[in-house]
């Protein structure tokens, strides 16, 4: 009698727990449907790059937490990107990366190469399931392909729950293999840009000179990522995550489209050299995230510190605060702040007559900068249970001088221009 | 400076983890934590899109998830 009672209590508790957890009993779980998430994103920089990105993600629980998820991303990119060359007091002429044709940059304008046009396809698949008691295993594949770049990656991770599932410890590894084969070939490190200003007897002579600045064939890069994490439930309303990540990449890190201006004492450009980056980079990161539910909604705060052997240290703070306006609508302000120090190989320009450094890049993305993102999202759950959301954000990058004295006319030029972008997104989940 | 900061962060994390044993909730207290918006990756699509933007525009990537392979993004 006692035993029966006890069984009933256990069963009732189990049912109540399932209801509280929002967990569907196994029988129903096997009948779960595909959950679809779609989004369309517009990213537009003032006078530079414009990108449109579409995402289609699907997820299904095949029962007992055996979950398959897949994602398809398509994006198209057009516009102009900073070459690394410095602005001048007069019009500058550059050879396009393909070697086919030239473009000119007006006096005092930041040199931008306006020939960027690319379409990218990204495919991902991930399988997650319980392995044995309190363990969960997950593995996945990732593919990203664009005209001149291919990235293939596999990942695997193992997680274990402790302390009544209040603590989860995980370890994961990802191996990626990237191949790059840029239009016009990869430039020879520190070779000088060949600019046809009438000095060549014919097209063939120009082609020969251009060809001497190029390496044949493609190049590649391998990336190994290790990620260790602890997720901890703090209270009924709060949980935290801590991650430590180590990433090492070996191979071709140079951006084949970036150059450095070699200037004289007066700051006038004498030549343009293709950049050269090290063939190895090792990075460490620590990441902390907290989610807290209040009567207003949910706040999500994260901080990341990253450091690497190129001497780049960065701090990122990301905050989202979801405010429930009603039972089925919410508004979510978003603020992100980012700050990085300059890489040791970063040079906004090179001085004529000085010995060439072993590695150098004038890519502003390796220089000192701060950036912030400010925006909001508005979401609504419809009568059908489907969710529609709109996101609008403003992103600004402010590159900074990390202590370089500009010679002559460069003092009157803006060597560290800010970049502004608008991010707009529509999402629909069903 | 960096080393000092890393040590401080490491110490804070270690102290947090030591304190974990007494933290947490009972299974029947997970009503709020079970809400969709309380999942750490509640907005997976947005986070993925953001990762792609910032990967292309800044020198740091990863941390929350794998830094991973990439793209020739400009």
């Amino acid at each position: 009698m006692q035993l029966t009672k006890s069984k009933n209590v256990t069963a009732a508790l189990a049912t109540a727990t399932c209801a509280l957890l929002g967990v569907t009993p196994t029988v129903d779980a096997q009948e779960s449907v595909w959950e679809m998430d779609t989004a369309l994103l517009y990213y537009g920089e003032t006078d530079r790059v414009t990108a449109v990105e579409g995402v289609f993600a699907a997820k299904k629980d095949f029962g007992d937490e055996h979950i398959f998820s897949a994602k398809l991303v398509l994006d198209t990119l057009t516009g102009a990107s900073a070459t690394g060359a410095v602005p001048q007091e007069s019009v500058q002429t550059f050879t396009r990366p393909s070697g086919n044709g030239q473009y000119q940059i007006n006096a005092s304008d930041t040199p931008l190469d306006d020939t960027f046009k690319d379409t990218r396809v990204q495919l991902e698949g991930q399988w997650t399931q319980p392995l044995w008691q309190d363990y969960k295993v997950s593995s996945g594949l990732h593919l990203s392909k664009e005209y001149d770049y291919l990235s293939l990656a596999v990942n695997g991770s193992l997680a274990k729950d402790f302390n009544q599932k209040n603590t989860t410890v995980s370890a994961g590894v990802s191996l990626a293999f990237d191949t790059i084969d840029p239009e016009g070939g990869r430039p020879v490190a520190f070779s000088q840009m060949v600019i046809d200003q009438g000095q060549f007897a014919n097209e063939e002579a120009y082609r020969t000179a251009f060809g001497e600045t190029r390496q044949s064939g493609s190049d590649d890069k391998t990336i190994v990522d290790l990620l260790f994490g602890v997720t901890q439930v703090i209270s009924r309303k709060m949980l935290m995550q801590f991650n430590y990540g180590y990433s090492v990449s070996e191979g071709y890190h140079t951006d084949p489209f970036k150059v450095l201006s070699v200037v004289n004492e007066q700051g006038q450009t004498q030549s343009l050299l293709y950049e050269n980056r090290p063939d190895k980079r090792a990075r460490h990161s620590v990441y902390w995230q907290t989610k807290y539910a209040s009567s207003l909604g949910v706040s999500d705060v994260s901080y990341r510190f990253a450091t690497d052997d190129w001497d780049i240290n960065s701090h990122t703070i990301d905050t989202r605060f979801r405010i429930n306006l009603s039972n089925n609508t919410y508004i979510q302000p978003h603020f992100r702040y980012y700050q990085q120090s300059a890489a040791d190989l970063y040079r906004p320009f090179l001085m004529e007559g000085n010995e060439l450094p072993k590695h150098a890049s004038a890519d502003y993305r390796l220089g000192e900068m701060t950036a912030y993102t400010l925006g909001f999202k508005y979401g609504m759950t419809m009568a059908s249970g489907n969710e529609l959301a709109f996101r609008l954000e403003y992103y600004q990058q402010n590159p900074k001088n990390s202590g370089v004295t500009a010679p002559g006319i460069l003092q009157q030029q803006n060597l560290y221009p800010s970049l502004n972008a608008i991010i707009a997104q529509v999402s629909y989940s069903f | 400076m960096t080393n000092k900061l890393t040590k401080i962060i490491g110490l804070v994390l270690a102290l947090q983890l030591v304190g974990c044993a007494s933290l947490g909730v009972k299974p029947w207290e997970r009503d709020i934590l079970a809400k969709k918006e309380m999942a750490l990756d509640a907005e997976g699509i947005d986070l993925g899109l953001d990762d792609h933007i910032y990967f292309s525009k800044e020198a740091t990537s990863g941390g929350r998830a794998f830094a991973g392979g990439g793209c020739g993004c400009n």
Side-chain angles (χ1 to χ4, degrees), chain A residues 117-400:
Chain A
K117 194 169 186 175
D118 217 336
T119 303
R120 190 178 71 101
V121 181
Q122 181 186 323
L123 271 172
E124 285 176 12
Q126 194 81 23
W127 178 262
T128 306
Q129 67 165 80
L131 192 58
W132 55 82
Q133 200 177 7
D134 293 333
Y135 280 90
K136 200 177 265 185
V137 67
S138 184
S139 61
L141 295 169
H142 166 102
L143 177 151
S144 172
K145 173 73 185 131
E146 56 205 285
Y147 178 67
D148 59 1
Y149 205 97
L150 170 70
S151 177
L152 294 167
V154 291
N155 71 71
S157 61
L158 184 68
K160 182 175 176 15
D161 294 325
F162 297 92
N163 183 23
Q164 293 188 308
K165 296 199 174 189
N166 282 303
T167 308
T168 303
V169 177
S170 66
V173 60
S174 162
L175 307 172
F177 184 74
D178 292 8
T179 311
I180 182 166
D181 189 8
E183 176 82 17
R186 287 167 300 121
V188 172
F190 290 136
S191 62
Q192 188 175 330
M193 182 186 280
V194 175
I195 304 167
D196 187 354
Q197 289 170 317
Q199 75 272 40
F200 296 106
N202 51 38
E203 174 72 11
E204 198 184 333
Y206 161 73
R207 285 283 160 196
T208 304
F210 179 79
E212 282 170 4
T213 68
R214 302 286 139 167
Q215 307 175 65
S216 60
S218 62
D219 211 333
D220 50 55
K221 180 167 69 176
T222 53
I223 305 129
V224 179
D225 274 319
L226 299 174
L227 192 65
F228 302 94
V230 177
T231 307
Q232 176 65 43
V233 172
I234 306 295
S235 69
R236 219 178 126 224
K237 293 180 173 179
M238 191 178 197
L239 79 160
M240 278 188 190
Q241 182 173 38
F242 306 95
N243 285 346
Y244 164 71
Y246 174 69
S247 172
V248 61
S249 51
E250 285 188 26
Y252 189 77
H253 289 76
T254 297
D255 187 326
F257 308 117
K258 303 296 183 208
V259 295
L260 294 121
S261 300
V262 179
V263 300
N264 62 14
E265 295 289 338
Q266 288 73 49
Q268 294 156 332
T269 299
Q270 303 301 298
S271 62
L272 296 155
L273 304 185
Y274 293 102
E275 68 157 48
N276 183 31
R277 302 186 190 188
D279 56 9
K280 192 175 177 190
R281 187 176 176 192
R283 300 184 268 183
H284 300 266
S285 69
V286 285
Y287 174 81
W288 164 79
Q289 183 185 3
T290 294
K291 292 201 87 157
Y292 179 74
S294 66
S295 54
L296 281 175
V298 175
S299 59
D300 182 338
V301 181
S302 69
Y303 167 75
R304 174 185 66 178
F305 171 72
T307 182
D308 66 32
D309 61 359
W310 288 9
D311 251 9
I312 301 171
N313 297 324
S314 75
H315 302 271
T316 314
I317 296 167
D318 202 312
T319 62
R320 289 175 165 84
F321 186 42
R322 176 182 165 126
I323 303 162
N324 293 323
L325 300 173
S326 68
N327 281 339
N328 50 15
T329 55
Y330 68 88
I331 190 160
Q332 182 170 276
H334 176 212
F335 175 70
R336 178 183 185 271
Y337 177 78
Y338 174 80
Q339 184 255 320
Q340 75 178 37
S341 62
D344 53 8
L345 66 136
Y346 175 73
R347 303 277 189 284
F349 50 84
L350 296 173
M351 290 302 296
E352 186 185 38
N354 286 1
E355 196 184 339
L356 273 178
K358 195 175 173 194
H359 302 107
S361 172
D363 187 343
Y364 81 92
R365 295 172 300 182
L366 298 179
E368 185 176 337
M369 73 156 92
T370 57
Y372 68 87
T373 308
L374 199 58
F376 73 94
K377 182 179 179 180
Y378 175 78
M380 63 183 95
T381 306
M382 295 184 284
S384 57
N386 300 345
E387 190 184 305
L388 178 65
F390 302 92
R391 180 160 76 120
L392 187 64
E393 299 189 333
Y394 174 77
Y395 175 55
Q396 182 167 328
Q397 283 187 323
N398 299 310
K400 286 188 162 58

Side-chain angles (χ1 to χ4, degrees), chain A residues 20-21 39 43 45 53 75 116 120 146 149 151 163-166 174 176 178 225 230 232-237 242-243 255 258 281 283 285 287 289 291 293 298 304 306 313-315 320 332 336 338 340 365 373 377 391 395 397 425, chain B residues 2 5-6 9 13 16-17 20-21 23-34 37-40 42-50 52-54 56-74:
Chain A
L20 283 172
L21 289 172
Y43 171 86
E45 296 172 355
E53 191 159 344
D75 61 57
F116 280 97
R120 190 178 71 101
E146 56 205 285
Y149 205 97
S151 177
N163 183 23
Q164 293 188 308
K165 296 199 174 189
N166 282 303
S174 162
D178 292 8
D225 274 319
V230 177
Q232 176 65 43
V233 172
I234 306 295
S235 69
R236 219 178 126 224
K237 293 180 173 179
F242 306 95
N243 285 346
D255 187 326
K258 303 296 183 208
R281 187 176 176 192
R283 300 184 268 183
S285 69
Y287 174 81
Q289 183 185 3
K291 292 201 87 157
V298 175
R304 174 185 66 178
N313 297 324
S314 75
H315 302 271
R320 289 175 165 84
Q332 182 170 276
R336 178 183 185 271
Y338 174 80
Q340 75 178 37
R365 295 172 300 182
T373 308
K377 182 179 179 180
R391 180 160 76 120
Y395 175 55
Q397 283 187 323
Q425 183 188 328
Chain B
T2 304
L5 193 63
T6 311
I9 291 168
L13 289 180
Q16 298 270 7
L17 292 179
C20 285
L23 297 171
V25 296
K26 298 295 178 194
W28 56 88
E29 293 175 322
R30 286 182 174 263
D31 52 338
I32 295 170
L33 294 168
E37 60 264 32
M38 276 301 279
L40 288 165
E43 291 169 283
I45 298 288
D46 292 18
L47 296 173
L49 287 165
D50 283 358
H52 183 209
I53 291 171
Y54 302 128
S56 308
K57 295 287 152 193
E58 298 167 355
T60 302
S61 60
R64 180 183 65 82
F66 293 120
C71 53
C73 311
N74 272 279

